[in-house]
């Protein structure tokens, strides 16, 4: 909720959320057997990284919600099926999510969170003694409901695990919002701006996938030094 | 939720909320018969304005939650009793709330909102055809739960009045949070950082006053050209 400066995250654990769709797609890809995901800021960076890593790697991501020209994969979780990506490294760039990951790179530990892996992420950090920050990527500097609701679901789990989550009011805000919206989270995701944008370009099915609480049992970890995200 | 730039507010209606305590105190003062409130940024500005306006005016406000040296009144709604302030103009400066008001001064219409006057403010703007922005002052660039919950309560009223509130996700976020927290809003205010700060300095009673939904039936309006807030 607050525009966090990278130095605030230094030394802590950061959970980066871009639920519609980058985080969900990364979780899905790793659950379906991708070896690793390399997040980069731009399509140009992606092509340069592929030139360095070799033809075995795949290019994935979006601009304006659709596949980037010359890329192998778009940013839909439905595209990252086991037969397409098992054992492969994917260089990945999206409008907001990959920037959020790179914003967090001064943290000691960076995880990819979304609604599909709330439980896995909460378990992964519940007993980590460092401060835990939840970074909601949002869209063009505006808050996204679809990022805040998974954040609230994580806060709920962390409260139950005995963590103190009252450090700032944004944790309480998303927790209250989650408690109300979780009565029908698919409707809440569909009403979000990101959800409506997806429906408008014919990708409403992806919104339902992104709203499937705890459907992916992994907590992807971004190994900042290596520049790659793996299943943990 | 978003750090709004002043130019975004130009031409619209802005409701400025600093519920614990500046907005609540201003509403109370006007309900108890104060003639006008002149918001200023600093204690120095306040003294200079008093020198210009004459000895009849009162100085009110806080720094660090307590009365400023030489000021007549602090920032507690309990201090603004009818016998002290009826008919008087009050020059007012607080840590966050008055800055929020001055941030909104490019808007065409500026109202003071808090939990105590949700209904009055919602009625005042429901049929205003200009865009309505809700500006939550927060604390030192961080979101405050106690500002977001009145914002959610106002969104709920505006939805019922037929206004479209889906322009951005922050309205949906505070609406969901309000729907949950309104089951016990006093507890939510007490759990907020602002609420806890008040309790710590012995002002817990003020938090209960600030959490009293619709206890003040006025919608104070900030007349920007005149530099003064009046009962409308």
């Amino acid at each position: 909720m607050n525009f966090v400066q990278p130095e605030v995250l230094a030394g802590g654990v950061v959970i980066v959320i871009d639920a519609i769709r980058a985080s969900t797609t990364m979780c899905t890809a790793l659950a379906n057997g991708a070896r690793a995901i390399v997040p980069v800021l731009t399509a140009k960076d992606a092509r340069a990284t592929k030139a360095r890593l070799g033809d075995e790697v795949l290019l994935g991501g979006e601009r304006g919600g659709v596949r980037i020209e010359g890329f192998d994969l778009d940013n839909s979780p439905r595209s990252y099926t086991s037969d397409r990506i098992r054992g492969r490294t994917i260089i990945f760039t999206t409008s907001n999510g990959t920037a959020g990951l790179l914003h967090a790179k001064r943290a000691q530990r960076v995880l990819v969170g979304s609604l599909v892996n709330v439980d896995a992420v909460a378990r992964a950090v519940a007993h980590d003694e460092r401060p835990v920050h939840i970074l909601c990527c949002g869209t063009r500097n505006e808050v996204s409901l679809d990022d805040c609701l998974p954040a609230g679901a994580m806060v709920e789990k962390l409260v139950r695990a005995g963590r103190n989550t009252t450090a700032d009011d944004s944790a309480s805000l998303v927790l209250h919002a989650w408690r109300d919206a979780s009565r029908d989270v698919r409707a809440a995701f569909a009403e979000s701006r990101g959800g409506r944008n997806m429906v408008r370009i014919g990708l409403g099915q992806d919104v339902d996938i992104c709203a499937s609480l705890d459907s992916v049992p992994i907590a992807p970890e971004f190994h900042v030094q290596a520049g790659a995200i793996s299943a943990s």
Side-chain angles (χ1 to χ4, degrees), chain A residues 189-222:
Chain A
F189 265 50
E191 103 198 9
S192 73
R193 198 168 63 167
R196 286 179 285 133
N197 284 344
M198 286 294 108
V199 169
R200 206 183 53 234
I201 59 174
L203 296 170
Q205 212 178 329
D206 281 11
V207 180
D208 273 352
I209 293 171
C210 294
S212 302
L213 180 67
D214 289 331
S215 56
V216 179
I218 62 165
E221 188 146 356
F222 179 25

Side-chain angles (χ1 to χ4, degrees), chain A residues 48-115:
Chain A
T49 306
K50 176 166 177 153
R52 208 174 68 237
L53 295 183
D55 279 345
E56 275 306 295
V57 305
L58 297 171
L59 295 178
E62 58 73 36
R63 285 298 179 275
V66 299
R67 188 170 60 88
I68 298 163
E69 201 183 320
F71 273 41
D72 304 291
L73 297 151
D74 58 13
N75 186 27
S76 170
R78 288 180 286 152
S79 302
Y80 291 71
T81 51
S82 182
D83 60 306
R84 293 204 69 182
I85 53 97
R86 178 163 296 280
R88 308 289 288 272
T89 292
I90 300 154
I91 303 165
F92 194 66
T93 183
T94 68
S95 306
N96 300 290
T98 49
L101 278 165
L102 297 168
H103 192 80
K105 68 185 180 188
R106 291 182 58 182
Q108 285 190 357
R109 189 180 181 200
V110 183
L111 298 163
V112 176
S114 63
L115 201 67

Side-chain angles (χ1 to χ4, degrees), chain A residues 155 159 163-172 175:
Chain A
V155 171
V159 170
R163 297 285 299 225
N164 173 12
T165 61
T166 57
D168 74 45
D169 280 5
S170 53
S172 305
L175 176 58

Side-chain angles (χ1 to χ4, degrees), chain A residues 6 8-16 100-101 103-113 119-135 158 163 218-225 228-232:
Chain A
V8 172
L9 308 174
V13 178
V14 181
I15 302 163
V16 179
L101 278 165
H103 192 80
K105 68 185 180 188
R106 291 182 58 182
Q108 285 190 357
R109 189 180 181 200
V110 183
L111 298 163
V112 176
D119 190 61
V121 167
R123 284 172 192 270
V125 304
H127 303 294
D128 194 311
E129 289 177 0
R130 294 167 288 196
V132 174
H133 306 274
I134 303 179
L135 196 157
L158 293 175
R163 297 285 299 225
I218 62 165
E221 188 146 356
F222 179 25
H223 303 280
V224 175
Q225 296 301 321
I229 299 163
S230 61
S232 126

Side-chain angles (χ1 to χ4, degrees), chain A residues 23-39:
Chain A
S23 292
T24 303
T25 297
M26 289 189 273
C27 291
T28 304
L30 292 168
N32 285 343
R35 178 196 302 269
I37 295 167
V38 178

